[in-house]
Amino acid sequence: MLTRNCSLLFLWFLLDKGLLSPLHSPPKGRLGKDHHRGMMGLRRNGGAGFQRVKRGWVWNQFFVLEEYMGPDPQYVGKLHTDLDWGDSMVKYTLSGEGAGSIFTIDQTTGDIHALQSLDREMKPFYTLRAQAVDLHTGQALEPESEFIIKVQDINDNEPRFLKGPYTASVPEMSPVGTYVMQVIATDADDPTYGNSARVVYSILHGQPYFSVDSKTGVIRTALPNMDRELKELYQVLIQAKDMGGQLGGLAGTTTVNITLSDLNDNPPRFSKSIFHLRVPESSPVGSAVGRIKAHDLDTGKNAEVEYNILPGDGGHMFDIITNEHQEGIVLLKKRLDYEMKKAYTFKVEAVNAHLNPRFLHLGPFKDTATVKINVLDVDEPPIFNRHSYSMEAYEDTSIGTVIGAVTAQDLDAGRSAVRCYRYSIDWKRDLDSYFDIDPVEGTISTSESLDREKIAKHNISVVATKVNNPNLSSKVAVTVNVLDVNEFPPELAEPYETVVCENAKPGQVIHTITARDNDNSPMGPKFFRSPPQDTKNKNFTIRDYGNNTAGVVTRWSGFQRRLQDHYLLPVVIEDIGDPVLSSTGTLTVRVCACDRGGRLLSCNAEAVFLPVGLSKGALIAILVCIVILLVIVVLYVGLRRQKDKDTLMTSKEDIRDNVIHYDDEGGGEEDTNAFDIGTLRNPKAVEKAFRRDVRPEPGPRRAAPPSRDGPDVQDFIQQRLQECHLDSSAPPYDSLVTFAYEGDGSAAESLSSIESRTAEAEEDYRRLCEWGPRFQALAEIFGEKDSESDAATESREKAPELTRDTAESGHT
């Protein structure tokens, strides 16, 4: 190994055109000496005359052995430059990956050593930089050079199967060389150096069934016709060895579990040729009789079996299906009878559901077996010969009459004449008591009178019970239809009443009638006719339509209400029963007035005022509505009047003088409807003004009458107010008496037209006429200045100033 490294370094030295080798000193020829002297001369000149010269050393790669376990640091290589004459004037430095920690250099000699044991699998190489420096000046003698220290691999890692253990499957009966799977082992050693990573595969355990390719690791079958039913699982041990399988190589192993998958190469087989089963005769249809099974050595869907009953004796009574356990379940297809047949024999075939054409040459994939089923006798209830019975009886049938019979059979007794069962009626309601049954013979007779009009059909249940075992019984339904007897005569469906127009024509059908009969419908249809001996009804005749209806037909025209307003038409109705029954009904025909189109106008007094088509019910509804409206109007008016009486200020019957209500602006002094203005103008008449809201008393009043010498109106009002407060004879209700007078001290002054005076002589009061008739009196008063005297003016000023302004008037 050391020789190989030295050879490589020497080759690099030659390629570098004579530069120093890391393991040997450069040749000291003349060229080297001259070059050394030149470089030394440059170094002595202080570098001022330094010129670029050819590089004296270049390093590309060193090698160091991994996993070195020696006592001393491992020697890697040597750095040297031709400028180093051995006088210790050159200093070597090292930098880069691991410099100082993993790798160290002797600064004087340039020797490199590895301080630690290295692992190529963790880091295959290191990149470092070397430089030669003048020891005194510290200047670089050469440019910095980069080199690589590569960790040289040794075979320290065995091959490994990273995905093991493995699982594989191959079909059974596969030919030799059938591919199973491929296994791959990896080796962490350097595959480019030596045989450390060269892996070879081999089988340690699993022969002769399987083989493995030594280079690729592909596993194949090595033995033909491997049967899963004999052995299903194989464990194969695979080895991977490096160094090409040579002695001293490292090896790794893995396990491969190989399973043979199933193929349908085995037919189903019954474990025995005859299966014996037993079934009671009372088993219901569809119940399971027993189980049989054909075994198949295959698994999964290859073991699925279908069972079939082959045609033959007894096969029609049974059926067979396959359950989830691949068993054949024999089912009862029809009801069994021990007395009829005590045993059945048939064959069952078992066939694979999924066939493999590859193995058809081995023979048919099916098997057959015989099934024998014995029927067990059980004690059974009597059985009726029919599922239900239907009987008929007339409603006039006498009590005790036999109307029919039921028949049952005891299968256990065979053909014996002795009856071991008894009949009875299952009474669940009172309606079942209409009939009796003979317990031995099974004949049914009536026990009460039948009436079709009440009950037309009777449903009863007859029970046959075994004598020696009352728990064994059977039941059958019996229907008894009650037949009708013609006992009711037909009659009109309703009391008919029709009309005929005065202008009716002969042969006109004015109405259609129908009949009803309480008897059964076979007694109809009904026949209608009018008695020919009846001479009073020559105006109408009956036309029978033959479908239980008839029409009333006029025989001639000329009907007049004035002469006869209605007719009574007798109608005879007959049925076709035996005996024939009939009845006579009366049809009322009223004569009415009609228009030319035949529309009804009036019928007697009841229809004179009615419009055509207006019924009596509609007329009553209209009258009721009118009465309700009248009542509402009367109530509304009464409430309105009551409300007007309750309103004191708006009542026109108020007896109080001095309560004045103004609804609008009054007309001044001329409006004397509310009070007597003359009384206020004549002071002498004041004593006659008394209250009219209370009844006057004959005794003298306590208040003094006003003076006749013409007291002021204000004094008069004050006296009247005092009198009202002190009067104890006032009625027991609140009475508001208001006297409005505007005196001289009012800040707003008087608003009365009487109190107003003309400020300017040239004022034109004729404009008051333009304001309307309510101001016409003012216009006349102030317009006639020349004709009015001073006395009249004073008298007018002393008059009470009453206005209809709402701000100065009082209300109760």
Side-chain angles (χ1 to χ4, degrees), residues 35-36 156 314 348 378 479 536 647-648 650 657 679 715 747 792 794:
H35 183 65
H36 177 69
D156 59 343
V348 176
V378 295
T479 302
K536 296 181 180 180
T647 306
L648 182 61
T650 60
D657 265 345
T679 303
D715 296 335
E794 294 178 0

Side-chain angles (χ1 to χ4, degrees), residues 381-688:
I383 298 177
F384 286 94
N385 296 338
R386 300 180 186 177
H387 296 291
S388 63
Y389 291 86
S390 179
M391 303 176 185
E392 294 180 350
Y394 285 97
E395 58 181 340
D396 59 351
T397 302
S398 58
I399 297 176
T401 303
V402 176
I403 61 174
V406 296
T407 304
Q409 183 180 1
D410 188 0
L411 299 180
D412 295 331
R415 297 183 180 181
S416 177
V418 180
R419 294 186 177 182
C420 301
Y421 53 89
R422 294 293 182 265
Y423 299 102
S424 63
I425 295 179
D426 186 13
W427 283 13
K428 294 183 178 179
R429 51 183 180 172
D430 296 338
L431 298 180
D432 297 333
S433 62
Y434 280 86
F435 305 94
D436 285 332
I437 188 170
D438 187 279
V440 177
E441 300 297 332
T443 56
I444 299 175
S445 60
T446 60
S447 60
E448 294 183 14
S449 299
L450 303 179
D451 188 354
R452 192 202 64 84
E453 283 69 35
K454 292 183 179 180
I455 303 175
K457 180 185 294 186
H458 294 266
N459 295 316
I460 61 176
S461 297
V462 177
V463 180
T465 306
K466 213 161 189 178
V467 176
N468 57 356
N469 189 356
N471 294 327
L472 296 177
S473 63
S474 59
K475 186 183 298 185
V476 69
V478 179
T479 302
V480 180
N481 296 311
V482 181
L483 302 180
D484 187 33
V485 175
N486 194 15
E487 56 182 338
F488 295 98
E491 59 184 6
L492 291 177
E494 60 183 51
Y496 286 101
E497 181 178 351
T498 185
V499 297
V500 62
C501 295
E502 291 181 321
N503 55 357
K505 298 179 181 180
Q508 180 178 349
V509 179
I510 63 174
H511 200 72
T512 301
I513 59 177
T514 60
R516 64 182 178 184
D517 194 337
N518 291 330
D519 293 322
N520 201 0
S521 57
M523 300 304 171
K526 314 302 180 295
F527 296 94
F528 302 86
R529 63 183 176 85
S530 179
Q533 67 274 11
D534 191 359
T535 59
K536 296 181 180 180
N537 294 310
K538 301 299 182 180
N539 299 315
F540 305 96
T541 184
I542 300 298
R543 181 182 300 171
D544 194 346
Y545 294 138
N547 57 356
N548 203 28
T549 61
V552 180
V553 184
T554 59
R555 302 186 67 178
W556 54 64
S557 61
F559 298 95
Q560 297 181 8
R561 273 189 305 164
R562 294 181 292 105
L563 300 180
Q564 187 174 354
D565 58 352
H566 71 280
Y567 296 89
L568 298 178
L569 177 62
V571 179
V572 178
I573 309 139
E574 296 179 350
D575 58 18
I576 60 173
D578 186 16
V580 176
L581 299 179
S582 65
S583 66
T584 302
T586 302
L587 177 64
T588 302
V589 182
R590 303 181 62 186
V591 182
C592 299
C594 303
D595 58 7
R596 293 182 179 180
R599 291 179 298 178
L600 187 65
L601 295 178
S602 63
C603 293
N604 297 334
E606 181 182 354
V608 170
F609 300 100
L610 294 180
V612 178
L614 188 61
S615 63
K616 187 183 297 183
L619 178 61
I620 294 174
I622 294 174
L623 292 177
V624 171
C625 293
I626 294 174
V627 170
I628 293 175
L629 291 176
L630 290 176
V631 171
I632 293 175
V633 171
V634 170
L635 291 176
Y636 177 75
V637 173
L639 293 175
R640 185 69 178 177
R641 290 180 179 179
Q642 184 67 27
K643 183 177 180 181
D644 293 341
K645 290 181 181 180
D646 293 342
T647 306
L648 182 61
M649 295 307 298
T650 60
S651 175
K652 296 181 179 180
E653 299 177 0
D654 196 349
I655 63 175
R656 290 173 290 182
D657 265 345
N658 299 317
V659 179
I660 304 171
H661 175 72
Y662 293 94
D663 290 334
D664 53 4
E665 185 177 358
E669 289 82 352
E670 293 183 358
D671 188 4
T672 60
N673 294 327
F675 58 89
D676 188 3
I677 194 65
T679 303
L680 298 178
R681 290 182 179 178
N682 187 4
K684 296 179 179 182
V686 174
E687 60 181 358
K688 298 181 180 181

